Amino acid sequence: MGSRSAEGEQVPLTDEYDALISTTDVELLKRAWRNEKAAPEILRFESDLIIRVREQIELMEETVEEKSTVGTDPLSVSLYQMDLDRTLFLLRSYLRIRIQKIEKYMFHIRKTEELWNRLSKDEKFFTERCTDDLKKHLEESVLSTLPENYQSYERQSVISEEVDMVPEPRLDTFVLCRSKEYLTGIQLEDGPVDDRSKLFEMEPDVLYFICYKSIKPLVESGKIDLL
Amino acid sequence: MSCSGGCHLMCSPVKILNMYGRKACQLVKEFASGEKGQLTPFNNDLFEQVVSECSQHHLELQSLIRKMQEEGLDVQTARNADHYGALIHLFSIVRNKRCLTAYVYNRAETVRNLLWKIGPVLPKEIEEKLNHWEEEYFKKHSAALKSYMSKALVDLTVDMVPPKDPYIQVRVLEDIREGIVLSDDKNPNFARHSMHFLKRTDAEKYISRGLMEELTG
């Protein structure tokens, strides 16, 4: 990675190096992982990125295997191995956080089209199985023992006008975030009603502690990173 | 709760114990006061009592509605004493239902988390705390997760903490004789109290089952 930037002309090395580093797939994965970790709701599955990362992991595994059979010195093999382990951890942790979010809000995700469309094919299948299993569990343990009009897992009773028993993530929690560029016109969704009409602006590279709901669209479009 | 002072003229302590929704509240409190992530045995006795309270409310609700119908009142619009009486029964059922569901739902969440913390094989002392349905649910959910992992070609149960070093020092706590699978195809002797230098990913599964401990420092 470093060698490529050195080949170029005499541009400030560190800038170019930073720019290059920040667009490697591992770095992108780290960003996706951080966002997913900090966001209260499930974000869009980074399918293309994950495919590329998986390919790279395979390559790295081949390299490690090759080097260790050839008998390269053990220190450099273990450095390659460590790099591989870190990438693998990021991938696993990214997928795990998503799966655990699905476990927590499965009913809500399954019935909300916007969230449902953010899942990967495997995640959709998992969510379907999970919701079926938990629904069955609730029905067998509780709902079937109740009088007829109260057996829904989503509604308190037949006279409930809407779904009123499905846990949802709290979008009004506060998150730490940072923007790369100057952003303006952010409508705050919390605080006293009088203040809400004021628009909020964000300086680049400054940390803000802000209500997730207010910046939700900017997180989804990738303009703001969560920490 | 006991009544003190002059209050006994209005209500005896027994009445208070029978207050609608009290038992369901106890059930939820029992779960909430437990240590997070830990299960207490499923309180079948209290659970059944709340369920039968619901049936009782339902019967009384129906009989009040029947009474109103017999009196020729429109059940939707009439606002007499029976209407409000019926409402109280309705709200009691709904509240009890919420408590019962919350009890089972939150326990189910803890049961799922056991899968992450301990793995698909539960030690006997924990398994005893699950009721029959929860055992079934644990098995099914564990199968669902397994199927996801085999499709997605990753094992999500290892690598729970960010790796610092690919290798760690471990001590074997109990003899491990069978089913030793290491990524380098070696076949070490995991005798009790022996110490090894292993790949972290290999050691994690033994550590989570309590068969090894990591030596730090």
Side-chain angles (χ1 to χ4, degrees):
Chain A
M1 281 170 263
S3 63
R4 259 191 287 166
S5 64
E7 280 167 23
E9 295 156 44
Q10 288 303 312
V11 270
L13 263 180
T14 48
D15 279 11
E16 199 185 312
Y17 182 73
D18 283 350
L20 252 179
I21 282 287
S22 68
T23 52
T24 61
D25 285 336
V26 173
E27 215 46 45
L28 289 174
L29 175 62
K30 209 186 274 177
R31 190 178 145 201
W33 171 71
R34 260 196 233 115
N35 282 343
E36 192 67 70
K37 221 174 149 165
E41 62 175 348
I42 198 158
L43 302 175
R44 197 174 58 83
F45 183 69
E46 300 276 352
S47 46
D48 294 344
L49 176 64
I50 296 302
I51 290 171
R52 293 201 304 274
V53 168
R54 280 174 187 277
E55 285 169 1
Q56 281 173 27
I57 288 176
E58 258 173 54
L59 267 176
M60 287 155 94
E61 277 170 342
E62 279 168 26
T63 317
V64 170
E65 204 159 305
E66 202 179 295
K67 301 245 184 225
S68 49
T69 49
V70 173
T72 326
D73 74 300
L75 178 65
S76 73
V77 175
S78 100
L79 287 177
Y80 278 112
Q81 180 72 44
M82 214 184 313
D83 203 26
L84 169 63
D85 282 356
R86 285 180 180 160
T87 313
L88 257 174
F89 167 76
L90 276 182
L91 175 67
R92 284 189 178 130
S93 185
Y94 173 72
L95 296 175
R96 184 163 50 225
I97 293 165
R98 294 179 59 86
I99 287 295
Q100 288 174 338
K101 272 188 191 167
I102 292 175
E103 285 185 338
K104 203 160 167 104
Y105 301 112
M106 51 176 108
F107 291 133
H108 177 62
I109 291 174
R110 191 171 178 179
K111 75 181 173 59
T112 314
E113 208 187 330
E114 187 198 348
L115 299 176
W116 180 249
N117 291 334
R118 293 179 182 178
L119 306 187
S120 73
K121 198 174 119 255
D122 293 337
E123 285 169 346
K124 280 184 182 159
F125 191 77
F126 175 71
T127 314
E128 272 168 2
R129 257 184 96 161
C130 272
T131 44
D132 290 349
D133 289 345
L134 185 57
K135 190 168 160 239
K136 187 151 178 269
H137 177 52
L138 287 174
E139 275 165 359
E140 283 170 340
S141 336
V142 191
L143 303 170
S144 63
T145 65
L146 296 177
E148 203 183 328
N149 294 345
Y150 310 90
Q151 294 187 349
S152 158
Y153 71 102
E154 312 184 292
R155 288 162 202 261
Q156 301 191 24
S157 74
V158 280
I159 56 169
S160 296
E161 275 159 17
E162 49 189 29
V163 172
D164 57 4
M165 268 185 72
V166 173
E168 295 175 14
R170 296 197 51 167
L171 301 184
D172 54 357
T173 52
F174 279 70
V175 289
L176 263 179
C177 64
R178 184 166 55 195
S179 158
K180 275 195 254 12
E181 50 192 300
Y182 177 77
L183 295 173
T184 182
I186 301 170
Q187 182 101 45
L188 291 183
E189 303 267 351
D190 63 307
V193 181
D194 300 347
D195 285 356
R196 289 192 200 172
S197 55
K198 284 186 209 152
L199 296 179
F200 180 74
E201 42 195 56
M202 275 176 92
E203 304 275 349
D205 286 329
V206 175
L207 283 184
Y208 292 93
F209 192 52
I210 197 171
C211 178
Y212 177 75
K213 232 160 104 190
S214 319
I215 52 157
K216 182 172 137 79
L218 293 160
V219 172
E220 281 156 13
S221 63
K223 285 216 161 65
I224 289 184
D225 283 343
L226 302 181
L227 294 170
Chain B
M1 207 200 257
S2 67
C3 268
S4 58
C7 151
H8 68 276
L9 289 174
M10 286 136 72
C11 54
S12 65
V14 178
K15 259 258 148 46
I16 284 198
L17 281 175
N18 285 337
M19 198 163 85
Y20 298 158
R22 164 97 2 140
K23 286 191 175 119
C25 180
Q26 268 174 17
L27 194 64
V28 173
K29 272 192 183 150
E30 189 186 293
F31 176 84
S33 63
E35 208 169 313
K36 210 172 179 315
Q38 306 265 353
L39 282 181
T40 47
F42 193 96
N43 194 337
N44 230 350
D45 194 32
L46 194 54
F47 193 88
E48 291 299 326
Q49 288 181 39
V50 180
V51 168
S52 70
E53 221 180 87
C54 288
S55 317
Q56 193 57 39
H57 282 304
H58 188 59
L59 287 179
E60 298 201 28
L61 171 68
Q62 281 177 318
S63 87
L64 282 176
I65 289 176
R66 249 195 321 273
K67 185 167 162 244
M68 286 167 79
Q69 282 165 340
E70 279 160 14
E71 287 166 4
L73 293 164
D74 181 358
V75 181
Q76 299 294 327
T77 54
R79 293 289 177 267
N80 62 353
D82 290 338
H83 164 81
Y84 292 107
L87 266 189
I88 286 184
H89 288 297
L90 172 73
F91 290 152
S92 301
I93 299 174
V94 166
R95 185 187 149 88
N96 279 350
K97 172 186 173 175
R98 285 205 308 267
C99 294
L100 290 170
T101 322
Y103 186 67
V104 172
Y105 184 92
N106 284 291
R107 283 180 63 93
E109 190 172 8
T110 311
V111 167
R112 285 198 303 271
N113 288 339
L114 289 175
L115 191 54
W116 290 107
K117 275 189 251 162
I118 301 172
V121 186
L122 290 182
K124 213 170 166 41
E125 64 269 23
I126 293 180
E127 199 170 28
E128 279 168 357
K129 294 183 176 158
L130 309 187
N131 76 358
H132 167 67
W133 302 122
E134 287 171 328
E135 275 176 43
E136 283 293 301
Y137 177 64
F138 181 78
K139 279 184 205 138
K140 275 194 197 148
H141 189 73
S142 146
L145 187 64
K146 207 172 151 200
S147 136
Y148 167 80
M149 294 194 297
S150 68
K151 275 203 202 109
L153 301 171
V154 278
D155 183 357
L156 298 184
T157 59
V158 295
D159 247 347
M160 299 301 273
V161 287
K164 279 210 177 88
D165 200 312
Y167 292 88
I168 55 173
Q169 186 93 34
V170 292
R171 190 200 338 254
V172 180
L173 297 173
E174 268 172 59
D175 284 338
I176 309 169
R177 295 179 201 286
E178 280 158 31
I180 298 175
V181 187
L182 296 185
S183 45
D184 56 6
D185 294 327
K186 291 206 179 94
N187 203 351
N189 176 16
F190 283 156
R192 197 167 165 214
H193 297 320
S194 62
M195 294 204 271
H196 303 267
F197 196 53
L198 294 180
K199 276 183 78 174
R200 197 178 30 77
T201 41
D202 285 340
E204 265 178 353
K205 55 177 176 283
Y206 298 109
I207 294 174
S208 69
R209 277 158 59 194
L211 301 174
M212 284 182 187
E213 65 177 359
E214 184 178 354
L215 299 172
T216 46

